[in-house]
Amino acid sequence: MDQELFSAVDEFVEETLVPHDEALQGALDAAAAAGLPPIQVSPPQGKLLQMLARLQGARTMLEFGTLGGYSTILLARALADGGRLVTLEANAEYAEVARGSIERAGLADVVDLRVGPALETLPVLEDEGAGPFDLVFIDADKVNTPNYFAWALDHSRSGSLIVADNVVRGGSLAESASDDPATQAQRRLHETLADEPRVTATTIQTVGSKGYDGFAIALVL
Ligand code: SAH
Ligand code: DHB
Ligand code: MG
C-alpha cells in the first residue's frame, strides 16, 4: 500500500477534473468545524456517483448516511427536473450540520432529510408510499448494508441502480473467516447479489485518499 501516492493521484484528479465548488467546499468546512468525522466520499468518488445519477436520469433518489451532506449535495444536483432525494441520518447533530449546508447549496426544496436510525425511518417511508427509487446510495452503518439493500431492491424499478460504499474494507471482503461484523455483512451482501435474480451486480475496488476500499453496484433487471 502506498497511501501517499494514492492521495497524490486523488489530488491531481481533483485539481484537473473536479472543479472547485463553493457549496461543496462550504459543506466540508462546516462539517470539519463541527467536528464531524472526515469520512465522506472523496471528490473523484463523489463525481463518479454524480455521473451515475445523471446517467440514470434519476428523479427519485434515496441515500443512507447523510453525514455533513457532501454526497447529498452532489447527488441532489444530478436530480432530473422535479426530482427529489430522501437522505437518512441517525445522528441529529450531523443532520443539523447537513441541513445548513444543503440549504446554503440551494437544495432545501429537493432534499428530504430524515433524522433517525434508517431501520426506523424505512417503515415511515413505506407508509408514505415512497419510491420506486431510481438511484440508491447505501453509505450508513455497514452492518446493515444487506438490510438496506433488501429494502432498496423492494422499492426499485427495472433500471434502478443501487450503489453501496465501503464494501471492500481494505481487502477483508476476501476473508471468509473475518471476525469483523461489517466485513461479514459485505460478504452476505455479495451472496445476495449473486443469488438474487432481480439484479446484476459487480464490485469495483478503489484506492485513493480514503485508502483501499470499493463500491458494489447493482442494476435492477
Ligand atoms: N454519505 C456521506 C458519508 C456518510 S458516513 C458522504 O459521503 O458525504 C456514514 C453516516 O451514516 C454517518 O453520518 C452516520 O452517523 C450515519 N449512520 C450510522 N448509522 C446509521 C443508521 N442506523 N441510520 C442512518 N444513518 C446512520
Ligand atoms: C466510515 C464510513 C464511511 O462511509 C466511509 O466511507 C469510511 C469510513 C466509518 O464509519 O468509519
Ligand atoms: Mg462511505
Side-chain angles (χ1 to χ4, degrees), residues 36-181:
L36 272 56
I39 54 176
Q40 64 280 341
V41 289
S42 69
Q45 291 173 340
K47 190 153 176 194
L48 170 66
L49 268 182
Q50 191 172 50
M51 288 164 63
L52 290 174
R54 278 177 65 175
L55 272 166
Q56 274 302 91
R59 212 169 253 298
T60 53
M61 300 188 199
L62 174 62
E63 176 179 66
F64 293 83
T66 317
L67 190 65
Y70 182 77
S71 57
T72 312
I73 291 169
L74 280 163
L75 288 171
R77 283 188 173 156
L79 279 167
D81 280 349
R84 308 259 298 159
L85 179 153
V86 178
T87 184
L88 311 180
E89 175 54 54
N91 185 306
E93 289 166 30
Y94 296 2
E96 273 325 292
V97 175
R99 208 180 285 288
S101 294
I102 290 162
E103 195 167 314
R104 283 187 294 277
L107 294 166
D109 50 342
V110 295
V111 173
D112 179 357
L113 167 59
R114 306 284 179 103
V115 183
L119 288 176
E120 291 176 21
T121 307
L122 292 178
V124 178
L125 293 177
E126 174 79 40
D127 286 347
E128 294 171 6
F133 295 97
D134 302 322
L135 182 124
V136 179
F137 180 44
I138 301 176
D139 193 23
D141 49 327
K142 308 309 167 189
V143 289
N144 275 314
T145 295
N147 297 326
Y148 300 153
F149 175 80
W151 196 93
L153 182 57
D154 287 342
H155 296 79
S156 66
R157 55 156 177 94
S158 173
S160 292
L161 203 60
I162 304 172
V163 180
D165 194 20
N166 312 118
V167 304
V168 174
R169 318 195 64 73
S172 65
L173 179 64
E175 290 165 16
S176 58
S178 168
D179 55 10
D180 172 25

